[in-house]
Amino acid sequence: MEEAELRQRVEAIYRSDSRRVLATLIRLLGDFDLAEEALHDAFIAAVQQWPRDGLPANPRAWLVSAGRFKAIDSLRRRARFDASKRHLVAELEEAASAFLEGEDVEDDRLRLIFTCCHPALPADAQVPLTLREVCDLKTEEIARAFLSSPSTIAQRIVRAKAKIRDAHIPYQVPALAELPERLDNVLRVIYLVFNEGYSASSGDSLTRTDLSAEAIRLARLLLELLPDPEVMGLLALMLLHDSRRAARATADGELVLLDDQDRTLWDHGQIAEGLALVAQAMASRRVGAYLLQAAIAAVHAQAADAAVTDWRQIVGLYDVLQRLVQSPVVALNRAVAIAMRDGPEAGLAQVDALLEAGELADYHLAHAARADFCRRLGRKDEARAAYESALALARQEPERRFIEMRLRELDG
């Protein structure tokens, strides 16, 4: 393999496997910062050695081994000046001899999620820490997802890492009896990972396939551990949304709204699996927020085209969801469904009330919804102002181009 081609392979492996390698290194080394340093050193070693020695049969295991031994070497040097590190070096050297390059590290990201969502950690730090460490989302991206400041999110992450280190929080999937109490945050994390993949919070691309695929994989692992209706609901929800991926953008990367999508491009295998999971979960009569959202997605999936969508059923499901989850975003989605059932004026009244309450003032989709209702009502000036507000807040380029197109249409 030519050196240039091998470097490309190293870069591809970094994109696909670096967070899995990091998750395993955190388990093996017991320290986030040391593991991140070891990951960096392992990839430097790969760039230096693989052109000479060739691509290893198991690159991920090679990187884990290299990173682990690099960390031990680093600790040995520090131990010369810090006696407290000598015991740690001895432990890691003993454990390193037991590590095999063929060791299965596939489940380590799920272990890491449960560690980051440990009940000993502050609730407001669990999800940001997981998104940062498991999914490599930037602090700014996480802050936007939480409508918070990057400095606040960064402080939460640093404190959570210190808590895990100082309290020796175990790196493991909890026992079956402990799973239910830990489940809510884990499900929330997996869904936030999927959302960032399904509709990236910023950047040139509408989607990040790697993140949504990883979220679906983690949900499948979790379902094997705990066949709970809400786990089924979350997996169904992600499958039903992901089934539309090929129809959500044009060949040029432009956004295509749900009503305008070519439904022949939808993945009907994913739809069938999602519908079956919804039916199985509903049979339990234990209905939670993810299952209700999956049921809403199922109504869309079963409609042959946008015109025959059962908006009455969707509004009814949103009514139940809103009673269960007091969320302004759920209320916004319900307002859109009401507009589709009763007309844009009914939806506009709902959105105006939400914007007046202030919780969605910085949420670009709320302003975009208001703009669309005003456009459909022929209130061009109001539509223009709302689109401009949405444009000022949007960070994803396909969404920005779509809003700019709507503005041009108003001026045309």
Side-chain angles (χ1 to χ4, degrees):
M1 188 180 295
E2 295 293 331
E3 184 173 346
E5 182 183 353
L6 200 141
R7 282 180 176 273
Q8 289 177 348
R9 289 292 301 275
V10 173
E11 291 173 4
I13 290 168
Y14 183 87
R15 288 192 298 271
S16 63
D17 284 1
S18 63
R19 303 322 283 184
R20 294 186 188 182
V21 173
L22 177 65
T24 301
L25 287 171
I26 292 171
R27 170 170 63 87
L28 298 175
L29 299 173
D31 185 282
F32 281 82
D33 295 332
L34 185 61
E36 288 170 359
E37 182 182 321
L39 175 72
H40 179 70
D41 289 342
F43 273 96
I44 290 176
V47 170
Q48 293 170 344
Q49 295 180 37
W50 291 359
R52 182 187 68 227
D53 302 335
L55 191 71
N58 189 337
R60 192 190 310 160
W62 188 100
L63 289 161
V64 170
S65 290
R68 191 176 197 181
F69 285 112
K70 292 286 186 184
I72 292 172
D73 288 343
S74 175
L75 284 173
R76 279 199 197 108
R77 291 191 296 273
R78 298 178 202 176
R80 295 174 190 170
F81 308 102
D82 185 349
S84 66
K85 299 255 191 289
R86 291 170 193 165
H87 179 65
L88 177 59
V89 170
E91 285 184 349
L92 290 176
E93 285 178 326
E94 182 180 352
S97 63
F99 179 76
L100 303 175
E101 283 207 355
E103 181 180 335
D104 182 13
V105 299
E106 188 65 25
D107 290 357
D108 275 326
R109 292 182 93 179
L110 191 57
R111 293 189 187 102
L112 181 53
I113 287 178
F114 275 101
T115 301
C116 293
C117 294
H118 195 279
L121 297 177
D124 63 359
Q126 293 175 16
V127 177
L129 176 65
T130 310
L131 293 175
R132 178 71 195 95
E133 297 303 321
V134 178
C135 306
D136 199 24
L137 266 65
K138 295 180 176 61
T139 306
E140 292 77 8
E141 293 174 316
I142 301 168
R144 279 196 291 272
F146 282 87
L147 304 179
S148 187
S149 70
S151 61
T152 298
I153 294 298
Q155 288 169 4
R156 291 176 187 171
I157 291 171
V158 169
R159 285 197 293 265
K161 285 183 182 180
K163 176 73 172 180
I164 290 171
R165 182 189 64 239
D166 298 341
H168 303 290
I169 290 174
Y171 185 92
Q172 63 189 29
V173 174
L176 192 62
E178 299 173 315
L179 273 175
E181 65 177 304
R182 304 272 294 278
L183 189 59
D184 285 350
N185 262 4
V186 171
L187 292 177
R188 186 181 178 209
V189 165
I190 292 174
Y191 191 42
L192 283 169
V193 172
F194 176 81
N195 275 340
E196 184 62 27
Y198 182 72
S199 183
S201 60
S202 62
D204 296 332
S205 177
L206 181 66
T207 61
R208 290 180 60 179
T209 307
D210 57 332
L211 288 182
S212 48
E214 180 62 20
I216 290 171
R217 188 189 74 82
L218 289 171
R220 291 190 191 283
L221 284 174
L222 191 57
L223 187 58
E224 289 177 14
L225 283 169
L226 189 67
D228 181 272
E230 270 294 82
V231 182
M232 292 179 197
L234 176 60
L235 179 56
L237 175 61
M238 295 190 298
L239 288 168
L240 291 168
H241 280 321
D242 199 57
S243 70
R244 308 172 195 158
R245 178 181 300 278
R248 292 183 62 235
T250 66
D252 297 329
E254 301 304 327
L255 177 66
V256 180
L257 297 183
L258 178 62
D259 286 359
D260 301 322
Q261 289 174 14
D262 178 356
R263 300 189 179 207
T264 64
L265 298 176
W266 288 4
D267 186 324
H268 294 280
Q270 284 185 311
I271 290 173
E273 184 181 0
L275 293 177
L277 284 165
V278 170
Q280 183 181 355
M282 283 291 190
S284 73
R285 298 185 181 278
R286 290 171 50 205
V287 178
Y290 293 110
L291 181 52
L292 285 167
Q293 291 174 79
I296 291 166
V299 176
H300 286 295
Q302 291 171 308
D305 57 59
V308 298
T309 302
D310 188 346
W311 288 106
R312 186 173 299 278
Q313 185 179 2
I314 289 174
V315 171
L317 288 166
Y318 271 123
D319 287 343
V320 179
L321 180 60
Q322 191 172 27
R323 287 196 293 271
L324 193 65
V325 180
Q326 297 299 313
S327 161
V329 174
V330 169
L332 175 64
N333 291 335
R334 177 177 174 273
V336 172
I338 287 173
M340 298 303 293
R341 185 191 67 181
D342 301 335
E345 194 162 357
L348 181 60
Q350 298 280 329
V351 171
D352 280 346
L354 289 169
L355 287 170
E356 188 175 345
E359 291 181 283
L360 295 178
D362 294 328
Y363 189 49
H364 71 285
L365 293 179
H367 296 281
R370 185 179 199 283
D372 184 61
F373 298 152
C374 290
R375 178 185 64 84
R376 288 159 60 187
L377 290 166
R379 293 156 62 168
K380 287 189 174 184
D381 290 342
E382 289 182 69
R384 186 178 295 103
Y387 277 130
E388 287 171 351
S389 295
L391 185 61
L393 294 166
R395 294 291 177 267
Q396 186 196 88
E397 286 305 315
E399 286 185 329
R400 289 181 59 82
R401 290 196 297 269
F402 182 85
I403 295 168
E404 287 168 347
M405 179 193 72
R406 286 293 200 216
L407 281 167
R408 288 194 298 272
E409 289 173 352
L410 288 175
D411 293 333

